[in-house]
Amino acid sequence: MTNTITAAAFEPFRSEIGRYVINRDEEVEALLLALVSESHLFLLGQPGTGKSMLTNLAHALIDGSTQYRALFTKFADDTLLFGPWSLAGLKNDKRTRANSGRYLQDADIAFFDEAWKGTSSLLNALLEALNERTYNDDGESKSMPLCTAILASNELPQQDHSELEAIYDRIELRMVVEPVTDPGDRLRLIRLPRVDMANITPVLKWSDVKAAQAVARSIPVSPAAEEALVQIVTEAARAGVSVSERRLVKSLRLGQAAAFLAGDDKVDVGHLDFLVHVLWHDPSQRSEIQRIVYEVSAPLRKEAIVLADATDDLRIELAKALALDEGDIKRNQMAVAIMGKLKRAATEAVGLEKRATGRDASTVADTIRRIEELNCLVQSEAYGLPQPTSLIELARNGKL
């Protein structure tokens, strides 16, 4: 890897966005991955979950980047993307754009809200822009600097709509933006500083992003990573999730970007975890895709996720126990059984913690947090203890 740009240059970007958003680490990583790999990103989520703000923050934090934003409607045509036709040109039988430098053909980053609406002329022009980075001007195909388009919606594209399906396939990265639901996170959310885009100081230059793209393109892909990619895609197909050849090949480019952002000089199997945001078509497929990807690329993370899911199941069991009368022997029996399973989960989690590094460590930490939260509930609500004892600390000290 050359010394022109390194992964460390992107740390201030992550940190600064983190000042204004809650629980959006994965979305920020996907955005960086899209920029460095020159890919597109789809954000699926309810209105008000901060999808547009992420794009605005990225643009504000990257000095020298040009952004184009548009809200699609069912009546919008391609003039929304590329501007109106030149009246002077039309008088001379030429269909040229009255380009003012404010439209998609001049943008590095684009954001499209309500992305699946629009007339056929808009959708066909968008497809060409996303796939070829070109647009039509008086019959001539002209290139444009577009690096990454972020498309947002609270719905998936309509099925059996060929134009929308073609566009959807060109969007390499897909994220479901979940609303903040945890009370503690909601409290943090309302205490965040107000975002004033005009006064945000850039922490990255667009030339840095372009340099990162060049470095990432030069990173070799190991044979093991290539074989793992094929294995994952094959398993996904067996699970009923097909992957186009275009997306398969583009996954290598995404892998190079992932390796760069991790500070590595070779794409290895462990860099393929981004595929959890590439291979699904419908959100209902995400859990199965996650299982398939992590089984190959991040087995330790998969163990942590399975343990977290089991902990969530215990939370449901606790709710059932607490619904019984306090003197009911079955309530006490259920509480004892839950505590026994929690102790085993704490021991397993600490074992994973000792082995985890990087993003695995973050996932394990989240699992530990869930275990401790449930442990406090069991001890306070089921046993009536005013000061619950940490099972994780007991496990770390070998006392479980």
Side-chain angles (χ1 to χ4, degrees):
M1 188 178 293
T2 68
N3 294 322
T4 54
I5 188 76
T6 68
F10 291 84
E11 282 305 318
F13 181 91
R14 292 185 179 96
S15 299
E16 194 64 20
I17 284 189
R19 292 183 57 221
Y20 300 103
V21 298
I22 296 292
N23 292 350
R24 295 290 178 254
D25 290 351
E26 287 196 54
E27 288 84 351
V28 172
E29 286 305 311
L31 180 54
L32 283 175
L33 195 61
L35 289 170
V36 176
S37 65
E38 299 174 86
S39 301
H40 306 305
L41 171 64
F42 173 50
L43 300 175
L44 174 65
Q46 301 173 14
T49 48
K51 300 184 294 294
S52 62
M53 190 173 77
L54 273 177
T55 310
N56 289 339
L57 281 169
H59 170 58
L61 290 170
I62 304 176
D63 185 38
S65 65
T66 304
Q67 182 185 205
Y68 177 67
R69 301 171 52 81
L71 173 65
F72 289 3
T73 69
K74 63 181 179 180
F75 302 112
D77 61 16
D78 61 340
T79 60
L80 178 67
L81 298 179
F82 305 114
W85 298 106
S86 166
L87 292 178
L90 291 174
K91 290 178 182 179
N92 295 308
D93 294 326
K94 292 183 178 293
R95 289 175 60 84
T96 57
R97 300 286 179 179
N99 191 356
S100 61
R102 295 185 291 108
Y103 289 94
L104 180 60
Q105 60 266 43
D106 299 295
D108 303 308
I109 303 170
F111 177 78
F112 303 125
D113 206 357
E114 299 293 341
W116 310 122
K117 294 180 171 63
T119 62
S120 289
S121 72
L122 182 147
L123 297 175
N124 285 326
L126 179 62
L127 177 61
E128 179 182 350
L130 295 181
N131 194 43
E132 306 295 338
R133 267 74 170 187
T134 60
Y135 71 103
N136 186 284
D137 192 40
D138 195 32
E140 180 183 354
S141 183
K142 293 187 176 181
S143 62
M144 46 200 263
L146 180 65
C147 167
T148 295
I150 297 100
L151 291 81
S153 179
N154 60 359
E155 61 185 2
L156 291 169
Q158 177 185 335
Q159 292 185 347
D160 302 322
H161 191 303
S162 58
E163 292 162 337
L164 294 181
E165 288 178 356
I167 292 170
Y168 194 45
D169 190 63
R170 266 70 173 186
I171 305 169
E172 295 87 354
L173 291 158
R174 299 162 180 172
M175 297 285 302
V176 176
V177 184
E178 303 284 2
V180 175
T181 57
D182 180 80
D185 289 337
R186 283 175 170 166
L187 189 60
R188 291 169 56 213
L189 180 64
I190 63 175
R191 291 174 175 172
L192 287 175
R194 180 178 175 274
V195 180
D196 183 358
M197 296 295 177
N199 291 318
I200 287 181
T201 302
V203 295
L204 200 64
K205 295 180 180 179
W206 186 245
S207 59
D208 294 332
V209 176
K210 300 301 289 184
Q213 292 168 359
V215 173
R217 280 193 294 269
S218 69
I219 295 177
V221 182
S222 70
E226 293 174 336
E227 293 167 7
L229 172 61
V230 172
Q231 179 186 347
I232 290 169
V233 169
T234 301
E235 289 297 322
R238 287 174 182 159
V241 183
S242 61
V243 180
S244 69
E245 294 178 7
R246 179 187 302 105
R247 296 178 71 77
L248 173 64
V249 173
K250 189 58 188 279
S251 292
L252 292 175
R253 182 77 181 89
L254 286 161
Q256 291 174 307
F260 169 82
L261 290 168
D264 296 325
D265 57 6
K266 180 178 68 173
V267 181
D268 220 329
V269 176
H271 295 117
L272 300 181
D273 55 358
F274 68 85
L275 290 170
V276 299
H277 305 307
V278 172
L279 301 184
W280 61 268
H281 299 287
D282 187 276
S284 63
Q285 300 167 335
R286 287 191 303 156
S287 59
E288 180 63 12
I289 289 299
Q290 187 180 75
R291 181 193 66 79
I292 292 170
V293 172
Y294 285 168
E295 199 165 73
V296 175
S297 70
L300 190 147
R301 199 175 314 162
K302 182 197 169 189
E303 290 183 56
I305 290 171
V306 169
L307 194 56
D309 290 342
T311 303
D312 291 342
D313 291 340
L314 289 179
R315 185 181 286 266
I316 296 172
E317 290 300 308
L318 176 63
K320 292 178 181 177
L322 295 177
L324 300 175
D325 293 336
E326 288 190 16
D328 193 324
I329 190 171
K330 185 177 179 181
R331 172 185 168 124
N332 295 332
Q333 290 173 339
M334 291 178 69
V336 170
I338 291 168
M339 182 54 72
K341 291 177 181 177
L342 263 183
K343 288 179 179 179
R344 289 192 290 274
T347 301
E348 287 183 44
V350 168
L352 294 176
E353 184 180 46
K354 293 176 180 177
R355 296 156 46 204
T357 58
R359 293 184 65 189
D360 286 348
S362 176
T363 304
V364 172
D366 181 66
T367 299
I368 286 175
R369 177 185 60 79
R370 295 194 204 185
I371 292 171
E372 282 289 64
E373 286 178 355
L374 182 56
N375 170 51
C376 289
L377 276 176
V378 174
Q379 293 191 42
S380 61
E381 300 296 327
Y383 290 104
L385 299 177
Q387 293 183 323
T389 302
S390 169
L391 291 182
I392 293 297
E393 287 305 316
L394 289 175
R396 285 171 178 159
N397 294 320
K399 295 180 179 180
L400 276 185

